[in-house]
Amino acid sequence: MLGMRSLTYRRLASRGLQLLTTFTTFRPLRSRLPIFVNKRIISSSSRKASPQVANMTGNPYQPLVLDFGRVWWREIIIYEIYVQSFQDSNNDGIGDLRGIINRLDYLKKLGVDMLWLTPIYESPLDDQGYDISNYKKIHPQYGTMEDWEELCEKVHEKGMKLMMDMVFNHSSSEHEWFKESRKSKDNPKRNWYFWKKGKIGKNGEKMPPNNWGGLFGGRAWKYDPTTDEWYLHLFAETQPDLNWDNPEVREAVYDTIDFWAKKGTDGFRLDVINLISKTPGLPDAPVTEPDQFEQNAIPMFTNGPKVHEYIHEMNLKVLRKYNCCTVGEMPCGVSQFEASQYVGKERRELSMVFQFDHMDLDGQNGNKWKPRKFELPELERVMRSWQQHMLGNNGWSSLYLENHDQPRAVSRFGSQDPKYRVISAKMLATFLLTLRGTPFLYQGQELGFPHPQKWKIEDYPDLETQAYYKSEYDRRKAANPTKEPDMSDVMHAIRLKGRDNARFPMHWDKSPNAGFSASNVKPWIKMNDESADINVQQQDGDPDSVLNYFRRLLHMRKQHPLMCYGAYVPINPTHPKIMSFLRAQGPWSTLVICNFSTDDVDYVVPDEIDIDLAVPIIANYPLEESKFQRKTCLKPYEARVYSLRN
Ligand code: TEU
Ligand code: CA
């Protein structure tokens, strides 16, 4: 084995990855196993082993982690499919369920374990399906319930799992529940949503019941003349908020989860689930913007007073029957403390949450439309505090850099410059897949897509992007009615942060619609034509492609238990260009080094870390050093992972 160290990475990889397993044969758990299968690795500590991490060795780089806490969903890799943009099987320009069935071999070969489907239910599609009008029916544009059942069966046959996206903070205004609710004040479904009398403004005009601003801009209330009352909608007007304080609503939610779990769903992604409990009485938010009526009301509905009670109830009444995996999406801020209440093992609420702290770094004060450059230590700080907090509090993280709302990682955290795009995509992949938590990949991330740069405002169908553009346009026009406003900064922000930057169709090959749909069809959203050369067909056969790097990385992670369970131990956390850390468990550790810059950067491994037996397990450049040196130089966006084997 010692001779191995003189090999370049490529030759090393070709020798087979079995060599990489550090200390035990690591077999992923199957989902129906009991939830907590502990594996004692060091001491004879009991299942109650506490605290989970202790440092008794005196070496800051050698934490003693006593307890694996093995759970099946902690050992998997999840892949998000934005269904309408993945694969169109009937050439109507819209991705569908049969399209996914046709691509299951691709997903299996990539090495992902669970597929998360964005909403495919009946919906007017104002917010691309996050506005559901029937939770138990499939929208015909995606196929039929039989197609879903076949997909579910085939996913299972291939040893993968299925996660469904559930939107329960709000429904569509086209849902029967809301149609009933709006009919009359005494309708049995009236109290399923938030209805209130409005106020009268200074000039006698109708005003909403309170001053809350909505999350897609404008007011959070809509007037309904049928009963002369207003209803609450934190998102679009066509997404009225469901009233979770009503036990009937909660029962309807649990019944929906039960319906999908019984049919074989293995996991649920719960949309904006930290917004379901509103401040009782819906009082005004504090005025922070005196020049306008609507105010930032986030504290009035985020992580509200009953949210834990409701999620715990959902767990007791339905989730726990199925041992399924849940991830709660938590925008608008969730502190680590709050998050550990949602996911702490003993709490019986959720498996993990999606937090947004790292996604907010490139916006001024978290405002996505006000881009700012962030420094690497800021990212390190955010990641470290989440990594360590979850470890110390019996919790678990979700790991992501992209999804259907958060566009492409190379464009935000790496570089879309053609010179660095591929290498930075691989570096970011290495970073993501060596952290502690369950990784979520988003379709096309494995190809290293950048954002389209030449789209015009009319090319972006997303209602959030359109609303932002319109409000900026109207504001500027009102300020100077004779002049056509300069919108270049707005377009710059949209090209950097707009959600459609991640929603263009998947590129399968180099044909005109990239194999997503037939060449003569107009897809529902523009293709990313500037990136036509980035496609599966091209990358599949290229050993140096981003795709093949992802495949190796996913395989490596699964061979390597430290990657799942090891503690995150920072190394030189204030470094402006290099993020480096150990994943460590007792005496075993893996060293990760990622250069986040376009420079060659000298790097020194601290003396306390024994690198004598270091073996590279993956790297995005061929390694030239015959033996890992304490002082080394990293190339632009270079990433290396070493098993230290001590
Ligand atoms: O996202 C919630 C959410 O916080 C986003 O709207 C986010 O604020 C925004 O994308 C950042 O600009 C979920 C879904 O993922 C999203 O697609 C839906 O539009 C939203 O809920 C409403 O259901
Ligand atoms: Ca289709």
Side-chain angles (χ1 to χ4, degrees):
M1 244 194 16
L2 291 177
M4 291 297 294
R5 282 185 270 130
S6 61
L7 298 175
T8 61
Y9 168 69
R10 210 180 305 211
R11 285 169 61 205
L12 212 167
S14 69
R15 287 269 186 112
L17 287 153
Q18 307 87 303
L19 290 168
L20 308 179
T21 311
T22 41
F23 50 86
T24 176
T25 309
F26 186 59
R27 289 187 200 288
L29 296 172
R30 275 177 296 122
S31 72
R32 307 291 167 186
L33 287 179
I35 302 190
F36 305 129
V37 182
N38 286 321
K39 185 147 186 159
R40 271 181 286 137
I41 58 164
I42 299 175
S43 71
S44 57
S45 62
S46 73
R47 287 168 67 111
K48 299 197 288 296
S50 170
Q52 216 184 12
V53 190
N55 181 356
M56 292 179 278
T57 60
N59 180 339
Y61 295 110
Q62 221 182 77
L64 190 60
V65 179
L66 301 173
D67 186 356
F68 254 141
R70 290 190 73 179
V71 185
W72 70 268
W73 45 259
R74 294 181 164 191
E75 298 177 9
I76 61 173
I77 292 157
I78 302 180
Y79 184 94
E80 178 185 1
I81 296 183
Y82 196 63
V83 183
Q84 51 272 61
S85 294
F86 190 64
Q87 175 71 71
D88 176 15
S89 72
N90 60 348
N91 296 325
D92 62 356
I94 305 167
D96 45 52
L97 293 171
R98 200 137 286 284
I100 304 173
I101 294 175
N102 296 343
R103 294 293 182 184
L104 288 179
D105 287 337
Y106 168 78
L107 296 163
K108 182 71 189 169
K109 184 170 174 201
L110 176 58
V112 297
D113 307 294
M114 185 184 246
L115 308 179
W116 150 23
L117 307 191
T118 52
I120 48 164
Y121 320 100
E122 270 189 8
S123 161
L125 302 175
D126 285 336
D127 187 18
Q128 293 307 329
Y130 285 90
D131 47 329
I132 299 173
S133 53
N134 189 328
Y135 290 88
K136 296 184 180 173
K137 291 232 163 86
I138 306 282
H139 192 299
Q141 76 174 19
Y142 298 121
T144 61
M145 190 58 93
E146 287 68 44
D147 293 331
W148 183 89
E149 282 158 4
E150 185 181 329
L151 171 65
C152 184
E153 202 181 304
K154 295 212 160 124
V155 165
H156 289 159
E157 262 168 35
K158 292 196 181 295
M160 295 190 285
K161 295 181 189 302
L162 200 54
M163 171 179 268
M164 297 296 280
D165 207 328
M166 296 278 149
V167 189
F168 291 130
N169 173 68
H170 44 269
S171 72
S172 159
S173 49
E174 294 301 306
H175 197 295
E176 278 309 313
W177 299 340
F178 188 74
K179 286 188 184 163
E180 281 297 309
S181 185
R182 80 186 327 170
K183 276 185 185 159
S184 66
K185 290 185 190 171
D186 56 6
N187 187 283
K189 294 248 171 354
R190 185 66 169 181
N191 203 20
W192 281 45
Y193 295 85
F194 294 95
W195 289 98
K196 275 201 133 191
K197 272 213 138 354
K199 293 181 178 163
I200 302 297
K202 281 195 206 96
N203 306 318
E205 73 278 27
K206 288 186 188 302
M207 293 295 282
N210 71 24
N211 64 1
W212 293 8
L215 294 169
F216 283 157
R219 298 170 178 181
W221 294 91
K222 168 89 175 157
Y223 177 70
D224 191 34
T226 326
T227 52
D228 189 29
E229 286 198 336
W230 300 65
Y231 66 84
L232 178 70
H233 62 90
L234 296 185
F235 292 91
E237 265 173 40
T238 51
Q239 293 169 301
D241 281 53
L242 280 159
N243 177 8
W244 279 64
D245 298 327
N246 181 345
E248 287 172 19
V249 168
R250 303 204 298 277
E251 285 307 324
V253 165
Y254 309 152
D255 172 64
T256 308
I257 296 180
D258 198 66
F259 173 86
W260 287 101
K262 247 193 220 125
K263 287 174 94 52
T265 305
D266 309 281
F268 295 95
R269 181 245 187 211
L270 299 161
D271 192 68
V272 299
I273 200 71
N274 62 333
L275 310 186
I276 57 173
S277 170
K278 279 72 174 170
T279 304
L282 313 179
D284 273 338
V287 175
T288 48
E289 302 275 349
D291 299 340
Q292 63 187 49
F293 172 77
E294 59 274 5
Q295 301 295 319
N296 173 356
I298 284 176
M300 314 304 288
F301 52 70
T302 306
N303 310 309
K306 298 219 160 171
V307 70
H308 293 289
E309 181 185 322
Y310 297 158
I311 294 181
H312 183 58
E313 182 183 84
M314 171 162 68
N315 188 311
L316 290 187
K317 290 208 169 167
V318 56
L319 293 171
R320 76 159 171 194
K321 285 202 287 191
Y322 297 98
N323 185 17
C324 47
C325 153
T326 50
V327 53
E329 191 211 17
M330 308 231 164
C332 301
V334 60
S335 67
Q336 284 104 348
F337 173 74
E338 193 76 55
S340 56
Q341 306 212 5
Y342 286 115
V343 307
K345 239 188 209 175
E346 72 292 351
R347 304 262 317 170
R348 298 215 170 264
E349 294 188 20
L350 301 170
S351 313
M352 51 202 148
V353 305
F354 285 135
Q355 58 82 20
F356 286 69
D357 287 352
H358 57 313
M359 290 293 136
D360 291 340
L361 289 173
D362 62 356
Q364 290 167 33
N365 297 321
N367 179 346
K368 70 182 270 182
W369 300 120
K370 296 263 170 279
R372 75 179 272 268
K373 283 218 169 342
F374 65 91
E375 303 294 326
L376 184 62
E378 296 177 78
L379 176 64
E380 196 282 338
R381 211 180 138 85
V382 165
M383 300 319 280
R384 172 163 33 112
S385 59
W386 278 97
Q387 290 279 296
Q388 297 196 336
H389 186 88
M390 284 301 161
L391 181 65
N393 291 280
N394 268 321
W396 195 251
S397 301
S398 70
L399 304 169
Y400 73 96
L401 290 175
E402 288 183 19
N403 62 39
H404 68 285
D405 295 331
Q406 301 293 341
R408 302 299 183 177
V410 283
S411 300
R412 294 176 68 186
F413 299 95
S415 170
Q416 47 183 29
D417 179 340
K419 194 166 155 207
Y420 298 119
R421 184 185 57 77
V422 167
I423 200 75
S424 72
K426 292 177 184 172
M427 182 280 288
L428 290 168
T430 317
F431 165 62
L432 183 71
L433 284 144
T434 52
L435 290 167
R436 180 176 185 271
T438 299
F440 287 72
L441 306 182
Y442 175 68
Q443 69 184 44
Q445 186 173 359
E446 73 276 24
L447 304 179
F449 274 122
H451 297 179
Q453 288 303 310
K454 295 184 187 149
W455 286 13
K456 304 201 178 55
I457 184 60
E458 51 279 15
D459 296 328
Y460 297 86
D462 180 24
L463 85 179
E464 184 194 41
T465 299
Q466 290 295 337
Y468 165 62
Y469 186 91
K470 182 171 183 315
S471 73
E472 279 302 312
Y473 183 90
D474 292 349
R475 197 172 59 78
R476 292 169 194 212
K477 190 84 186 168
N480 192 350
T482 54
K483 209 176 136 227
E484 204 40 28
D486 174 8
M487 299 296 283
S488 52
D489 59 321
V490 170
M491 285 313 293
H492 174 71
I494 290 174
R495 289 187 183 120
L496 213 56
K497 303 296 278 296
R499 305 196 294 184
D500 290 327
N501 291 307
R503 296 180 177 183
F504 56 81
M506 183 75 175
H507 293 184
W508 297 100
D509 58 38
K510 53 181 190 307
S511 63
N513 277 328
F516 164 69
S517 196
S519 309
N520 57 347
V521 169
K522 188 166 186 280
W524 74 275
I525 185 175
K526 246 174 114 74
M527 305 295 299
N528 186 353
D529 289 325
E530 304 146 50
S531 298
D533 57 327
I534 302 175
N535 61 64
V536 171
Q537 186 185 41
Q538 189 279 322
Q539 295 201 17
D540 189 39
D542 171 5
D544 287 331
S545 65
V546 181
L547 175 61
N548 278 314
Y549 188 79
F550 261 94
R551 287 172 175 157
R552 289 204 293 274
L553 200 54
L554 265 53
H555 185 72
M556 179 279 286
R557 188 174 167 103
K558 289 189 197 165
Q559 298 300 304
H560 210 63
L562 275 183
M563 291 291 107
C564 283
Y565 293 107
Y568 173 95
V569 184
I571 302 172
N572 202 352
T574 54
H575 199 295
K577 293 179 178 160
I578 293 186
M579 175 100 81
S580 66
F581 50 89
L582 295 176
R583 296 297 309 287
Q585 190 129 17
W588 297 285
S589 49
T590 299
L591 171 63
V592 181
I593 316 171
C594 295
N595 182 357
F596 271 72
S597 81
T598 52
D599 302 329
D600 288 326
V601 185
D602 287 331
Y603 178 78
V604 183
V605 184
D607 286 343
E608 295 94 329
I609 299 175
D610 185 348
I611 57 165
D612 190 39
L613 296 179
V615 176
I617 56 176
I618 194 156
N620 62 353
Y621 284 89
L623 292 180
E624 282 145 17
E625 293 168 5
S626 57
K627 180 177 186 310
F628 183 36
Q629 302 294 325
R630 202 162 277 288
K631 187 168 177 333
T632 183
C633 180
L634 296 185
K635 299 188 182 70
Y637 293 112
E638 179 160 5
R640 302 186 199 171
V641 183
Y642 290 94
S643 175
L644 298 184
R645 298 186 176 269
N646 297 307

